[in-house]
Amino acid sequence: MARVVTTRKLVALTFDAGASAQGALPILATLIREQIPATFFLTGRFAETYPDVARQIASSGQLLGDHTTTHPHLPTLDDAAVRNEILVAAQIIARTTGRDPHPWFRFPFGESDGRTQRIVAALGFQAVGWTVDTEGWRGSAAGGPADVIRRVVDTLTPGAIILMHVGANPDDGTTYDADALPQLIAAIRAAGYGFTTVAGDVVVR
């Protein structure tokens, strides 16, 4: 799914955690302060590398999802390897955080095909895409925090799923998604929208 099924003015903030964690705690602090629900898609490698961060995300009550173990290009793998990437990640995340990420799943790079989609569904997962990518992960190549905010505000629609990242750009060390988040939340609210998770189970204005 690329959006939450709703006609209400709600959006879902989602954060991929597959590489570094420099922006994770500032993001979490903002969400807690603003009482905003969100969904975090963790790789198994992230949970192993940053277990304390993973546990803080989980203990804050945010929804968790599976983002594979090593963030590979899934369509290039055989069936057994695809299943292993998903199931091992779920085990690591559950062991590290005490929370099962099932049934939420996000394809690395957003790359999928009919075969990998069928495997994900057969494992009982719901694949979650996005409506808009802030491109904060691109660092200075994509502008700055103001551009992150603009990309979202210019495309706001009911049920939009917003893709953000918790890590820093590996080239310039920027954390534009974390930097922009307080102002982004304010801009979304100013446009008359509230917040939910990809499950659509929480509504916060």
Side-chain angles (χ1 to χ4, degrees):
M1 68 179 187
R3 62 178 59 249
V4 179
V5 179
T6 183
T7 58
R8 302 173 66 183
K9 294 181 76 172
L10 298 171
V11 298
L13 298 178
T14 68
F15 298 89
D16 285 3
S20 61
Q22 287 94 321
L25 295 185
I27 286 169
L28 196 58
T30 298
L31 295 174
I32 291 171
R33 182 179 67 250
E34 298 295 331
Q35 299 183 316
I36 301 294
T39 308
F40 286 77
F41 291 92
L42 278 57
T43 65
R45 182 168 54 192
F46 181 93
E48 286 183 322
T49 305
Y50 306 103
D52 290 342
V53 175
R55 282 191 284 269
Q56 287 187 60
I57 293 170
S59 65
S60 74
Q62 302 294 355
L63 195 65
L64 298 184
D66 185 320
H67 199 34
T68 72
T69 304
T70 66
H71 205 273
H73 298 272
L74 286 185
T76 69
L77 304 182
D78 64 28
D79 290 6
V82 172
R83 285 191 290 270
N84 189 68
E85 278 284 338
I86 298 166
L87 295 176
V88 171
Q91 294 168 0
I92 293 171
I93 293 166
R95 183 173 66 243
T96 303
T97 69
R99 297 261 310 279
D100 186 351
H102 188 273
W104 308 108
F105 176 78
R106 175 165 279 164
F107 281 96
F109 312 103
E111 294 178 352
S112 69
D113 55 18
R115 178 181 64 91
T116 53
Q117 291 167 9
R118 287 190 293 273
I119 292 171
V120 167
L123 293 175
F125 283 88
Q126 167 68 60
V128 178
W130 55 85
T131 314
V132 56
D133 180 353
T134 67
E135 300 185 29
W137 59 273
R138 293 179 59 205
S140 56
D147 297 286
V148 165
I149 295 167
R150 175 185 53 77
R151 290 185 186 100
V152 174
V153 173
D154 285 354
T155 58
L156 280 176
T157 55
I161 296 175
I162 300 164
L163 171 63
M164 306 180 81
H165 289 77
V166 305
N169 179 276
D171 298 320
D172 59 25
T174 55
T175 54
Y176 287 156
D177 281 337
D179 299 343
L181 186 59
Q183 292 76 28
L184 176 60
I185 290 170
I188 290 171
R189 282 175 162 159
Y193 280 77
F195 300 86
T196 188
T197 67
V198 299
D201 57 347
V202 180
V203 175
V204 173
R205 292 291 177 181

